Amino acid sequence: MIKVPDSPSKIHPSLSSFKTWRPHQKEAVEAIANSDKQFFILNAPTGVGKSIIAIASALLSSEKTYITTHTKQLQDQYLKDFPEIVKTIKGRSNYQCLFFQELTAENCIEQTKQRCPMRDQCPYKKAKQEVITSKVAILNNAYYLTALNYTDQFPTADLVIIDEAHLIEHSLMNFIECKLTKSQMDSLLLPYPTPKEDIIEYLKTLLDKTITHHSTLQEELKYAVKSEDQNNIQDLSKLIKKYQSIERNVKFLLSNMDNTWIIDYTPLQITFKPIFVHPYNEHIFAHGEKFLLMSATLSKSIIDTLNLPKNECEYMEIPSPFPVENRPLVFMPRINMSYKTQQKALPILTKLINKVLDKHESEKGIIHTSSNKLANYIHEHCSHKDRTLIATGQLKQQALEIHKKSKNTVLISPSLDTGVDFKYDDGRFQIIVNLPFPSLADKQVKKRARIDKNWYIGQMTNKLVQMYGRTNRAEDDYSTTYVFDERLYYYLKKYPNHFPKWFIEAVVKRDYTT
């Protein structure tokens, strides 16, 4: 049995600033280190301190660990917090080329099979070698999936830690799916299918033409390298990357596509994606012996979502360190915001929102919607229009900056559930307008929802919990979340396993007049 020291500082000299464990951290590390299961699933809400749990688990229980994150920002945060422990790497475009200094490693001349004279000093190759040989390496999901599946240079890890694991299925789908646009095909002088064309024959033709173009460009790149024409090298390298990507995707489609795939065709774009992603789990789970899946919003449903073997899974949920009275979810079941009844509910919704904004007149808040259209409707019909800010598309960053400096603005957006935090006065209240189910306009979502209702509900509950967690970012923080969609009661009662306990305990049902 692996014993965990009574202080993180005793695990590694560079952890000297971590004098004591936060509540439940030590117990989590002990459980992870001593688990005999292949998959350990940890629900650790905001404030628990997942990163030190991950680092301690890596140092105590393995010789080689990959920590993979959904975003480059979280990847950078690990490096900032644990610079003496972790090594990291990103895509080639993040590293300058030392031979042609106006270019990046993405334009490396070695793709023409010529040896670069600056090879031994190449920042990308040095970072890659450090990651390969280090005890703890931090990757982002996109790099992890690409590099570990298309090269054989990375060793199998004893432990793979997937942070923000609620998003790993999404990352895998992005890795597998293939989108071809008419404009892209035209610009690359490649064919685009007609509506009646046999899709397999089309893909075979596309592959042949892609390989031909790719080969021709490789020869052109050799001459550009010899003449040291940096602009031409950059242009040719970008084109080659595009052909390589299409070639790789089409080969994958021809090898894997069957009747469980969705083909969504329009005159401008064709998309190929599987109904279920789990048949391709090996792209994630072939690169480690054991796996730690961590997130603030993981429920036991992740086991079914990823089709993990139940007898090889251990689940642990850590309580929220934030006082429940500081983070109430006020449930006022007044409207049904389903697609069929939403239009009828909008006038009542507006009144409810106005009531909440009246109550929080001097405070800043957030209104989470399911679409830009709904966000615009609320902004136009709200009696506090002078306070509300649309935070969508190109307006999002500007709205966030204005909100940060203001006294009582209210952001309205369908895309504030991840990647942004509203600490303290930046978010004293929030309204979740409707239950955030995935759009059934997506053919893959619609088909899978029909086959696997639990998955569809899990996608909604996961996003709902993410929305709830945007405010209340510290133990002394406080905010109130409001939900008016009456359907929440049904899902809390019918599917409690989809919600973390710390979420359920915060729900307070109130009458409209309260």
Side-chain angles (χ1 to χ4, degrees):
M1 180 175 178
I2 297 173
K3 288 191 175 183
V4 177
D6 56 11
S7 168
S9 61
K10 294 181 180 179
I11 297 176
H12 193 278
S14 70
L15 298 178
S16 58
S17 61
F18 295 86
K19 301 295 184 185
T20 60
W21 296 102
R22 291 185 193 175
H24 306 289
Q25 283 183 335
K26 183 181 178 183
E27 293 90 331
V29 174
E30 283 180 337
I32 294 162
N34 292 291
S35 176
D36 62 352
K37 305 297 185 183
Q38 185 181 5
F39 303 97
F40 194 101
I41 299 159
L42 179 66
N43 182 311
T46 302
V48 166
K50 293 191 298 297
S51 58
I52 188 63
I53 292 175
I55 293 297
S57 299
L59 294 173
L60 287 170
S61 57
S62 83
E63 290 298 316
K64 179 69 178 180
T65 298
Y66 296 124
I67 302 177
T68 181
T69 69
H70 185 69
T71 64
K72 292 179 182 179
Q73 289 84 355
L74 184 53
Q75 187 181 5
D76 290 339
Q77 189 63 48
Y78 269 103
L79 185 62
K80 179 183 176 183
D81 293 343
F82 309 103
E84 296 182 34
I85 296 175
V86 306
K87 299 296 181 183
T88 191
I89 190 169
K90 298 174 184 175
R92 286 176 172 270
S93 62
N94 293 278
Y95 301 86
Q96 183 183 13
C97 175
L98 298 182
F99 187 51
F100 294 121
Q101 295 192 6
E102 293 183 13
L103 305 180
T104 70
E106 190 172 30
N107 313 117
C108 181
I109 65 171
E110 293 199 350
Q111 62 187 334
T112 65
K113 299 183 179 179
Q114 297 184 58
R115 184 174 178 83
C116 175
M118 304 296 289
R119 190 178 203 278
D120 294 339
Q121 290 80 43
C122 175
Y124 174 75
K125 292 190 180 296
K126 289 175 73 173
K128 189 174 182 179
Q129 189 57 33
E130 286 180 345
V131 161
I132 289 170
T133 58
S134 67
K135 182 178 175 67
V136 184
I138 310 292
L139 315 173
N140 59 66
N141 290 354
Y143 190 92
Y144 174 88
L145 287 166
T146 302
L148 275 73
N149 285 297
Y150 288 115
T151 72
D152 58 2
Q153 297 170 293
F154 292 82
T156 299
D158 304 296
L159 177 66
V160 175
I161 300 174
I162 303 173
D163 204 344
E164 298 177 315
H166 64 284
L167 294 170
I168 192 63
E169 187 192 37
H170 178 72
S171 294
L172 182 56
M173 177 63 85
N174 284 344
F175 177 70
I176 290 171
E177 74 174 351
C178 175
K179 292 181 180 179
L180 303 174
T181 66
K182 178 73 164 58
S183 60
Q184 176 195 32
M185 296 295 100
D186 289 347
S187 68
L188 295 174
L189 303 178
L190 294 172
Y192 187 77
T194 61
K196 296 182 180 180
E197 191 169 355
D198 181 279
I199 205 64
I200 297 299
E201 290 304 314
Y202 162 72
L203 289 173
K204 289 178 179 178
T205 300
L206 177 61
L207 180 60
D208 289 341
K209 291 184 178 296
T210 301
I211 291 172
T212 300
H213 283 295
H214 183 188
S215 178
T216 301
L217 288 171
Q218 286 281 19
E219 291 301 314
E220 291 183 23
L221 183 59
K222 287 182 182 179
Y223 290 111
V225 170
K226 288 179 181 178
S227 61
E228 299 188 6
D229 184 346
Q230 295 194 38
N231 288 332
N232 201 20
I233 291 171
Q234 187 173 31
D235 292 342
L236 288 169
S237 296
K238 287 180 179 179
L239 274 174
I240 287 170
K241 290 290 182 184
K242 290 178 181 179
Y243 284 110
Q244 285 177 331
S245 177
I246 293 171
E247 182 179 334
R248 184 169 63 232
N249 287 337
V250 172
K251 284 180 177 178
F252 185 86
L253 289 174
L254 289 170
S255 299
N256 292 275
M257 192 169 62
D258 55 23
N259 59 4
T260 65
W261 281 61
I262 296 292
I263 302 174
D264 190 0
Y265 177 90
T266 74
L268 299 178
Q269 177 175 287
I270 184 168
T271 304
F272 305 84
K273 61 171 74 172
I275 298 172
F276 294 95
V277 189
H278 62 71
Y280 309 98
N281 274 356
E282 64 181 15
H283 292 89
I284 303 170
F285 300 125
H287 311 298
E289 300 297 330
K290 296 180 72 173
F291 295 84
L292 167 60
L293 284 70
M294 303 193 309
S295 173
T297 60
L298 282 183
S299 67
K300 289 182 179 179
S301 64
I302 191 70
I303 297 172
D304 293 324
T305 296
L306 295 177
N307 199 38
L308 303 178
K310 289 182 173 62
N311 63 336
E312 281 295 332
C313 293
E314 184 172 345
Y315 179 82
M316 181 178 185
E317 182 175 324
I318 297 177
S320 173
F322 303 159
V324 69
E325 60 271 18
N326 287 2
R327 50 183 180 88
L329 189 154
V330 177
F331 177 42
M332 299 165 64
R334 286 277 291 145
I335 51 177
N336 185 321
M337 286 294 288
S338 67
Y339 180 77
K340 291 182 179 179
T341 61
Q342 185 177 119
Q343 200 64 34
K344 184 179 178 181
L346 289 179
I348 302 174
L349 171 67
T350 304
K351 291 180 181 179
L352 292 166
I353 290 174
N354 287 336
K355 185 178 177 70
V356 171
L357 267 58
D358 288 342
K359 182 177 181 179
H360 296 273
E361 188 173 7
S362 61
E363 296 176 318
K364 291 193 279 187
I366 304 96
I367 299 176
H368 299 280
T369 69
S370 58
S371 67
N372 292 342
K373 182 179 178 181
L374 187 53
N376 289 325
Y377 176 91
I378 293 169
H379 177 64
E380 289 299 323
H381 293 81
C382 176
S383 62
H384 292 258
K385 194 174 179 180
D386 58 324
R387 294 172 58 194
T388 57
L389 298 169
I390 295 291
T392 60
Q394 295 179 345
L395 299 174
K396 182 175 178 179
Q397 191 56 42
Q398 182 184 6
L400 289 170
E401 290 171 4
I402 294 172
H403 183 74
K404 192 77 175 174
K405 299 173 184 176
S406 76
K407 292 183 179 180
N408 68 338
T409 50
V410 180
L411 295 167
I412 310 177
S413 177
S415 58
L416 295 178
D417 55 301
T418 58
V420 285
D421 300 331
F422 301 95
K423 296 180 180 179
Y424 299 110
D425 289 342
D426 283 343
R428 289 304 183 193
F429 72 96
Q430 56 182 346
I431 300 170
I432 300 174
V433 168
N434 55 352
L435 301 189
F437 284 99
S439 172
L440 293 175
D442 184 310
K443 289 185 178 180
Q444 183 266 341
V445 171
K446 187 174 183 178
K447 190 69 176 285
R448 183 163 180 183
R450 286 178 178 173
I451 300 171
D452 186 0
K453 187 178 180 181
N454 274 309
W455 170 82
Y456 187 59
I457 293 166
Q459 296 298 298
M460 178 275 291
T461 57
N462 181 69
K463 191 166 186 177
L464 179 67
V465 176
Q466 283 289 330
M467 289 175 170
Y468 170 71
R470 289 311 89 205
T471 55
N472 284 94
R473 308 299 297 183
E475 288 188 47
D476 59 345
D477 198 359
Y478 64 89
S479 77
T480 303
T481 300
Y482 298 89
V483 177
F484 307 128
D485 194 333
E486 63 187 20
R487 295 176 296 166
L488 177 61
Y489 180 80
Y490 170 80
Y491 290 105
L492 285 170
K493 291 294 184 183
K494 183 77 173 177
Y495 301 95
N497 285 341
H498 283 279
F499 298 89
K501 293 176 183 176
W502 53 266
F503 176 89
I504 294 174
E505 70 183 9
V507 177
V508 180
K509 188 177 179 182
R510 289 186 188 167
D511 184 72
Y512 173 65
T513 58
T514 302

